[in-house]
Amino acid sequence: MEISYTPIGRVRSPYDTPEDVIHDEVSETGGEVVLEEEYEAGLEGIDGFSHIVVFAHLDEINESQLTARPPHVDDLEVGVFATRSPHRPTPLAQTVVELLERDGTTLRVRGLDLVDGTPILDVKPYVPLVDEEDVSVGWFEDR
């Protein structure tokens, strides 16, 4: 089965290539999520959220791997589905960013880890679940 999506917008970012993204510094990286004009009504009410979840297609990722080495964890290799590695069988990104401002279909954000021009597939408000405090984060707990 083949599934296809039409992007609803693009990212404006200071990063030109995936190699330019410095993951230790993205918490301060500013950028914009710019949706097509036809989706402006869909952004009504998003301004009230401090953070949003951006779903994107990693169109510059050309290879996938079934295992990955997480950054900052020595001598650990795990399955790609247990990581946030971009080198996935389906190069789909999910990233949470701080929403600073909305101007029409432009969302100014901080914490962006996507390359300039990355196609946006969806935007959702970030809503932490209060009743899910007892969670396990696998190998990440040792980080």
Side-chain angles (χ1 to χ4, degrees), residues 24 71-73 139-143:
D24 290 339
H72 310 298
V73 182
W139 62 264
F140 199 75
E141 287 181 14
D142 296 333
R143 184 172 176 208

Side-chain angles (χ1 to χ4, degrees), residues 42-53 97-104 107-108 123-128:
L43 290 171
E44 287 301 318
I46 199 83
D47 323 58
F49 293 87
S50 66
H51 291 74
I52 59 173
V53 183
V97 294
E98 182 181 1
L99 178 59
L100 302 174
E101 178 184 16
R102 174 186 166 212
D103 181 13
L107 304 173
R108 289 185 184 78
V123 174
K124 297 181 181 195
Y126 176 73
V127 183

Side-chain angles (χ1 to χ4, degrees), residues 13-137:
S13 161
Y15 303 120
D16 292 324
T17 69
E19 294 76 30
D20 293 339
V21 179
I22 302 170
H23 293 284
D24 290 339
E25 298 176 9
V26 296
S27 64
E28 295 303 317
T29 302
E32 297 177 341
V33 173
V34 183
L35 302 189
E36 300 294 334
E37 293 296 323
E38 66 191 271
Y39 300 111
E40 185 169 5
L43 290 171
E44 287 301 318
I46 199 83
D47 323 58
F49 293 87
S50 66
H51 291 74
I52 59 173
V53 183
V54 178
F55 295 89
H57 173 69
L58 301 175
D59 61 332
E60 293 196 26
I61 300 298
N62 297 318
E63 63 181 64
S64 70
Q65 302 166 346
L66 292 180
T67 59
R69 293 187 179 278
H72 310 298
V73 182
D74 295 333
D75 302 323
L76 178 67
E77 187 168 352
V78 295
V80 71
F81 301 123
T83 73
R84 296 182 62 122
S85 170
H87 300 284
R88 318 178 77 72
T90 303
L92 178 66
Q94 171 194 345
T95 190
V96 176
V97 294
E98 182 181 1
L99 178 59
L100 302 174
E101 178 184 16
R102 174 186 166 212
D103 181 13
T105 60
T106 299
L107 304 173
R108 289 185 184 78
V109 300
R110 180 174 31 234
L112 193 62
D113 62 355
L114 297 171
V115 172
D116 190 59
T118 299
I120 299 301
L121 301 177
D122 202 359
V123 174
K124 297 181 181 195
Y126 176 73
V127 183
L129 299 175
V130 181
D131 60 344
E132 290 193 27
E133 294 177 14
D134 188 23
V135 298
S136 175
V137 292

